[in-house]
Amino acid sequence: MIRVLVADDQALVRGGFRLMIDAQPDMEVVGEAADGTSAVALALDLQPDVVLMDIRMPGLDGLEATRRILAAAPAGVRVLILTTFDLDEYVYEATRAGASGFLVKDVAPADLAHGVRTIAAGDALLAPSVVRRLLEEFVRRPPPGSAPTSLESLTDREREVLTLIGRGLANDEIADRLFISGTTVRTHITHVLQKLGLRDRIQAVVLAYESGLVRPGER
């Protein structure tokens, strides 16, 4: 069973997500939190597989709660951010805090279930509209500096793969571009994440831009 913690300051919203999650044969809600402080405490106590985190809550917001959870919880605890709009101004910071995915609150039950399963499996979930928001945010920020020292641990091929991840290419597109198999692409991605201490593909995208490997608009 995929164990889920729901954090939202609105009781009706929490109840709705509980109904959708508990209706799935492979999921269960193990706790509910009405604010960020409670979300952190419950996440550390219950150690759920996925935390559904509302980003806008009174007191300690979802962004800071995400930082605290991922700094202290075991690696298996992952955060799926819930936003009211897909252009939430906190999305960029949430990726840097370690969130593994984003969904808008009016998500269909099937899409919510898919998102939870994706995150629980260790993959990242980033809707195209959110990708555009992230790229716009990067465009507004100062040009990135030189590549951090940590990139020196990558092989030339791994650096190529990281660059293509940053440009938004899927695994099969990377395979076609580099004339390698999908299995080899997945192996390279695993090595990149391990060497750079990244949780998932989303953090790899952020690092690719911040290190200067990718510039906005590049394909």
Side-chain angles (χ1 to χ4, degrees):
M1 296 289 285
I2 299 173
R3 304 171 69 252
V4 180
L5 170 65
V6 179
D8 193 288
D9 61 326
Q10 299 182 47
L12 286 176
V13 173
R14 294 198 307 273
F17 282 122
R18 174 183 278 277
L19 286 174
M20 286 190 283
I21 292 168
D22 284 343
Q24 303 300 317
D26 57 340
M27 300 178 193
E28 63 175 340
V29 174
V30 296
E32 296 183 25
D35 55 57
T37 301
S38 297
V40 174
L42 286 173
L44 298 183
D45 180 41
L46 300 173
Q47 297 185 15
D49 300 302
V50 177
V51 180
L52 280 182
M53 179 74 76
D54 182 15
I55 205 166
R56 302 186 187 211
M57 291 185 289
L60 189 70
D61 64 20
L63 180 61
E64 182 58 29
T66 295
R67 289 195 187 100
R68 296 186 186 185
I69 289 171
L70 297 180
V77 177
R78 299 167 69 81
V79 176
L80 177 55
I81 294 288
L82 300 170
T83 67
T84 305
F85 306 103
D86 56 9
L87 298 183
D88 196 304
E89 63 267 28
Y90 296 119
V91 166
Y92 173 78
E93 292 301 331
T95 63
R96 301 195 69 196
S100 295
F102 302 85
L103 286 174
V104 291
K105 281 191 175 181
D106 61 355
V107 62
D111 292 333
L112 174 65
H114 169 73
V116 171
R117 291 189 184 100
T118 298
I119 298 301
D123 295 324
L125 182 71
L126 198 57
S129 57
V130 179
V131 172
R132 288 194 297 272
R133 179 72 175 97
L134 281 174
L135 296 184
E136 290 170 2
E137 187 68 29
F138 279 122
V139 168
R140 285 196 293 271
R141 288 173 181 265
S146 58
T149 304
S150 59
L151 293 188
E152 296 177 359
S153 64
L154 301 182
T155 65
D156 290 342
R157 179 63 88 189
E158 289 165 354
R159 188 181 291 255
E160 284 183 296
V161 170
L162 175 59
T163 300
L164 295 178
I165 290 174
R167 290 176 181 170
L169 273 66
N171 285 8
D172 57 345
E173 294 174 313
I174 295 175
D176 291 341
R177 182 76 63 91
L178 299 180
F179 303 102
I180 57 179
S181 70
T183 299
T184 301
V185 170
R186 289 191 292 274
T187 299
H188 284 315
I189 292 175
T190 297
H191 290 164
V192 168
L193 298 181
Q194 290 176 341
K195 287 182 177 181
L196 300 182
L198 305 175
R199 280 179 173 264
D200 50 44
R201 199 183 193 98
I202 292 179
Q203 289 194 319
V205 171
V206 172
L207 180 61
Y209 275 88
E210 292 188 334
S211 67
L213 283 179
V214 178
R215 303 284 178 169
E218 289 183 342
R219 286 287 293 180

